[in-house]
Amino acid sequence: MVHGELWTVKEYFVYPNEYIYWTIQIVMYPFMTGLVAGAFVLSSLYHVFGVKQLKGIARFSLVFSFALLPVAMMPLLMHLLQPQRGIEVMMTPHFTSAIAAFGIVFTTYGMIVASELWFVYRQHFVETALELRQASEPTLALRLRLLLFTALTLGAWDVSEHALEKDERAVRVLAGAGIPVACFLHGYAGFIFGSVKANALWMTPLMPVIFICSAVVSGIALCIITYIVTMELRKLLVAWRRKQEPGLPSTEELKSAEIQVVTITARYLIMFLVFAITLELLDLVFRGYTAVKSWDILRSVIYGKDFVSIFVIQYGLGNLVPFILFLLPRLTIRRAVAGTLLVLLGVFMMRWNVVIGGQAFSSSFSGFMHYHLPIWPHSLETFKEGFFGALTVAVTPFVLFWFINKVLPVFKESH
Amino acid sequence: MIDRRTFCKKSMLLVGGLALPLAAFELFDPRKLLADKSDPAKERWVFLVDTEKCVGCGYCVHACKVENEIPYEANVTRTWVERYVVTKDGKSHIDSPKGGRDGFTAGRIEIGEGKHEEIRGEDVNKAFFVPKLCNQCENPPCVQVCPVGATYATADGVVLVDRKWCIGCGYCIMGCPYGVRFFHPVYHVAEKCNFCYHRITKGMKTACVDACAFDARRIGNINDPADPVTRIIVTERVSILKEEYGTKPQVYYLGLSKEVK
């Protein structure tokens, strides 16, 4: 069977070689990079612009952005038919291709996030290493830990006030430099689609900007939801531990801090959501108004075949409902959870409607292609390009976050 | 101690002296050097399809599949034939079952999902066949978007794919407005028509041209004014497909109709 034939159903006249070649993993790719960029922008709001209320979530989103980073290229690797040659994109880039910039942008961004994290956590590394050194009878695990933290200090042991001030300045500079790079990382994912002149739905110069805005929206949403989940877990832990250590913060204190952070962060989410929807609607109106050759087929896809996934799920459930949920006064945690989950669904559906919707019609403009996502894997291909492949990509950042959190504790103050 | 005046004088002398030999340097474009040594490319392969002559027998598709080792039953093909049936209500019905490999013997039109549409003979206003193949564009979008340079245009104008270098991302397939590219079912890399490059560079014709009994397909060299294909292209009214994409296709058509996609 030909690659793509398994999940493509053709209707009317489609060129013989046309199939839905870019599938669920290519939906996951912009979704995941969007989360990376969004989480970073959120942390930068505190580090660069000094939005004090975001302090609680800033460090958290920075670490989370780091955990998401390796996952951004996972869907690409899973999608390649020759994944063992994937490294060639970095080794022999062909610079007229939008994808060729990936290696450079991705590495630059990765280095910025890693070095920013180092400056944020340097004091923690030094303190932990010094503490571990004092252990009288170190076990093997403790010795390994000491080795790790000693390595992480990179030999910079100075934690005087003056040195820490310098660290903070470095963090500010790196976070500032990171914002354009994060936007570029994601904007160029939009460029990959927007520059395909052969695809009538994708080709628009607005694509990179739309991608950036929805990226920030999804990144903030994911940070909020993960933040809430970890805070809830902490509340349980603290309530249990307080029996032994009464000095820990009470559940109420944690709760009020939590809702405050969530409310402020949600405001930024709404702001970027408005930008994103405005641009998307502008694009739609413009296409309808100019009505060039491709509009006939695009209209039948947008208002016909994909109506439910575009207008009901993406704009309705994914944008309008959370918009109302967040704007209603007296935001509660439960409502915030519902809102952010819906926002994430909305952004995911936006990626879906761009990637799959862009291949829902033939370039002959005379036929349609329907996509059937493979659920149960019965071969490597149906795993990689199917539901479970996508799930693997979606779960990995949380697993990574759990490991990274062991070295870079996100909630250090109360430990 | 050097005074200011001498310092300025000597500096200017130094700068001037350095500038002279620097001016002798020139950045060379390797391709330009290559062109200097030999004549400009002797060949620029072009293709001519005369749709008036095509009867839709599908021999070209058959020959192509065999010659280029595209699995015979696989639903992908380097070249194909489209059938256009325009009925009296103005609708065009288009199909290309199996790329037209087995010819168009039945009157019914394939409409996908295994379904067919019967069209009565008396309802037909006009019907014709259009063979398709890679346009070997002068401005090929597939070459532009390949992230590793695995697909490239040769000096004689044919776009090739390096099977050892292609990473299988599918960007070139997405970038082609003509839908000529696909993933090879055996090698799992991008695949497309290359005008039978292995044949034309040895003075032979492409497999599809040799298989066509009606002279509907012809290959020629546009750089040779005496070439009969070139004569037709420069003296007759030929058209190309999807001009609006700016790809400058090098497959020319005679007798194209507005219904052709």
Side-chain angles (χ1 to χ4, degrees):
Chain A
M1 203 170 234
V2 180
H3 184 80
E5 206 176 353
L6 198 68
W7 49 77
T8 311
V9 174
K10 297 181 177 186
E11 190 187 357
Y12 298 114
F13 179 61
V14 175
Y15 292 132
N17 298 330
E18 272 186 304
Y19 292 99
I20 295 183
Y21 287 108
W22 281 7
T23 58
I24 184 74
Q25 293 296 358
I26 303 299
V27 178
M28 291 305 284
Y29 163 63
F31 187 64
M32 296 319 275
T33 43
L35 296 176
V36 175
F40 186 80
V41 168
L42 182 63
S43 83
S44 298
L45 282 177
Y46 166 70
H47 289 302
V48 183
F49 303 108
V51 183
K52 286 275 177 332
Q53 299 97 318
L54 292 178
K55 190 180 179 200
I57 205 167
R59 180 182 283 210
F60 171 83
S61 49
L62 185 65
V63 174
F64 203 67
S65 164
F66 192 62
L68 279 164
L69 201 58
V71 186
M73 57 181 186
M74 235 173 100
L76 286 184
L77 276 178
M78 288 177 91
H79 155 78
L80 291 186
L81 285 194
Q82 303 286 344
Q84 78 284 2
R85 295 181 194 157
I87 192 72
E88 301 298 353
V89 177
M90 303 216 189
M91 295 301 172
T92 59
H94 182 236
F95 282 114
T96 55
S97 168
I99 295 183
F102 179 83
I104 295 164
V105 182
F106 187 79
T107 340
T108 315
Y109 179 70
M111 286 191 299
I112 288 180
V113 177
S115 38
E116 188 181 335
L117 269 175
W118 185 76
F119 280 114
V120 170
Y121 279 96
R122 200 178 64 85
Q123 190 186 3
H124 170 73
F125 294 151
V126 172
E127 280 169 3
T128 318
L130 289 176
E131 212 173 279
L132 284 168
R133 243 183 227 179
Q134 258 128 40
S136 47
E137 281 171 27
T139 56
L140 182 68
L142 274 181
R143 248 183 276 161
L144 281 178
R145 218 172 135 74
L146 173 66
L147 195 69
L148 173 70
F149 276 92
T150 315
L152 281 174
T153 60
L154 299 180
W157 293 90
D158 185 2
V159 282
S160 66
E161 211 163 285
H162 179 65
L164 289 182
E165 245 171 55
K166 265 191 179 168
D167 282 1
E168 259 173 52
R169 263 207 304 279
V171 168
R172 208 161 37 242
V173 170
L174 283 170
I179 296 176
V181 180
C183 288
F184 194 78
L185 176 74
H186 198 67
Y188 114 93
F191 188 87
I192 290 178
F193 293 98
S195 63
V196 177
K197 63 180 169 191
N199 193 304
L201 186 79
W202 292 347
M203 198 190 143
T204 160
L206 283 183
M207 200 59 103
V209 199
I210 293 177
F211 263 55
I212 291 173
C213 287
S214 51
V216 178
V217 170
S218 64
I220 297 181
L222 186 70
C223 283
I224 295 181
I225 189 84
T226 322
Y227 179 75
I228 291 175
V229 170
T230 23
M231 283 300 271
E232 292 301 315
L233 285 177
R234 272 183 77 209
K235 269 195 265 177
L236 287 179
L237 268 179
V238 164
W240 179 65
R241 270 197 204 150
R242 251 170 77 86
K243 286 171 196 158
Q244 286 106 39
E245 296 171 67
L248 286 170
S250 74
T251 319
E252 280 69 36
E253 277 171 337
L254 283 176
K255 205 172 184 173
S256 76
E258 182 187 2
I259 190 69
Q260 204 191 346
V261 167
V262 169
T263 315
I264 299 287
T265 320
R267 248 175 245 167
Y268 285 96
L269 189 148
I270 287 293
M271 196 174 83
F272 282 102
L273 188 62
V274 170
F275 279 144
I277 302 174
T278 314
L279 287 171
E280 279 170 49
L281 289 182
L282 173 68
D283 182 51
L284 193 62
V285 169
F286 203 79
R287 281 170 193 279
Y289 192 79
T290 52
V292 293
K293 191 178 170 188
S294 57
W295 177 241
D296 277 338
I297 190 105
L298 284 188
R299 189 179 45 201
S300 52
V301 168
I302 296 171
Y303 296 120
K305 309 222 171 257
D306 282 359
F307 183 84
V308 174
S309 62
I310 294 179
F311 289 98
V312 179
I313 307 182
Q314 186 193 327
Y315 288 125
L317 271 179
N319 292 352
L320 189 68
V321 176
F323 195 71
I324 296 168
L325 282 178
F326 281 121
L327 283 187
L328 284 179
R330 287 188 297 280
L331 184 69
T332 61
I333 291 293
R334 214 172 284 173
R335 223 166 69 206
V337 170
T340 43
L341 285 179
L342 284 176
V343 164
L344 282 174
L345 171 77
V347 175
F348 181 81
M349 282 315 289
M350 181 255 169
R351 312 293 193 226
W352 178 280
N353 291 329
V354 167
V355 176
I356 307 291
Q359 297 167 86
F361 56 93
S362 159
S363 18
S364 68
F365 296 160
S366 302
F368 303 95
M369 287 190 282
H370 305 283
Y371 177 55
H372 294 281
L373 173 71
I375 306 283
W376 286 110
H378 44 77
S379 63
L380 187 63
E381 193 183 37
T382 42
F383 167 73
K384 284 192 338 181
E385 304 262 355
F387 176 75
F388 284 95
L391 201 66
T392 314
V393 172
V395 168
T396 313
F398 296 96
V399 177
L400 282 178
F401 180 68
W402 187 77
F403 279 111
I404 295 176
N405 193 32
K406 298 253 166 224
V407 182
L408 311 173
V410 176
F411 301 104
K412 198 187 151 213
E413 292 88 353
S414 53
H415 274 259
Chain B
M1 182 69 186
I2 190 165
D3 62 44
R4 197 161 69 171
R5 178 174 291 266
T6 14
F7 175 76
C8 288
K9 262 190 193 164
K10 292 210 161 150
S11 307
M12 281 168 76
L13 200 69
L14 186 76
V15 169
L18 279 177
L20 266 176
L22 277 178
F25 281 107
E26 193 190 334
L27 286 177
F28 290 112
D29 181 354
R31 272 173 300 185
K32 213 169 159 188
L33 276 182
L34 201 71
D36 278 345
K37 270 188 261 169
S38 57
D39 301 329
K42 276 205 286 288
E43 278 112 9
R44 202 312 172 193
W45 300 106
V46 290
F47 209 90
L48 181 69
V49 179
D50 190 344
T51 58
E52 309 270 9
K53 288 180 181 161
C54 180
V55 299
C57 64
Y59 280 18
C60 50
V61 182
H62 171 98
C64 172
K65 281 212 150 184
V66 173
E67 173 71 29
N68 293 297
E69 291 173 342
I70 307 298
Y72 199 64
E73 286 308 320
N75 286 320
V76 282
T77 175
R78 285 174 163 216
T79 184
W80 67 96
V81 180
E82 294 168 2
R83 167 169 62 178
Y84 289 78
V85 177
V86 185
T87 42
K88 286 189 176 143
D89 55 3
K91 272 192 193 147
S92 28
H93 308 263
I94 318 163
D95 74 345
S96 181
K98 284 262 171 206
R101 184 194 72 188
D102 305 327
F104 297 82
T105 44
R108 53 190 198 163
I109 296 275
E110 195 185 67
I111 55 167
E113 299 178 61
K115 282 183 269 184
H116 293 85
E117 188 181 355
E118 289 292 344
I119 290 176
R120 292 184 307 167
E122 60 262 37
D123 290 337
V124 177
N125 256 351
K126 59 176 169 181
F128 51 89
F129 300 101
V130 179
K132 293 265 182 90
L133 66 165
C134 175
N135 286 283
Q136 318 294 352
C137 305
E138 214 167 285
N139 180 23
C142 52
V143 171
Q144 183 188 27
V145 301
C146 177
V148 293
T151 189
Y152 55 97
T154 59
D156 46 2
V158 178
V159 174
L160 301 177
V161 181
D162 186 343
R163 282 184 185 158
K164 291 201 195 76
W165 211 251
C166 172
I167 61 172
C169 67
Y171 205 14
C172 56
I173 304 180
M174 291 294 143
C176 175
Y178 305 98
V180 302
R181 284 180 168 253
F182 54 92
F183 280 126
H184 195 289
V186 178
Y187 302 107
H188 304 292
V189 289
E191 175 76 17
K192 68 183 262 302
C193 156
N194 56 15
F195 279 0
C196 286
Y197 200 64
H198 58 292
R199 292 169 65 99
I200 55 171
T201 46
K202 292 198 174 69
M204 298 158 84
K205 300 241 183 284
T206 69
C208 59
V209 169
D210 273 353
C212 184
F214 305 92
D215 218 14
R217 291 174 176 253
R218 298 164 85 178
I219 186 153
N221 169 19
I222 198 91
N223 285 353
D224 175 10
D227 190 310
V229 171
T230 308
R231 294 286 306 152
I232 295 175
I233 292 171
V234 296
T235 58
E236 288 185 35
R237 297 166 199 188
V238 288
S239 21
I240 48 171
L241 294 171
K242 301 192 183 184
E243 194 188 355
E244 65 274 19
Y245 289 102
T247 51
K248 299 183 185 149
Q250 296 302 311
V251 173
Y252 295 86
Y253 283 85
L254 282 168
L256 221 51
S257 181
K258 71 180 173 67
E259 288 85 6
V260 175
K261 303 297 176 185

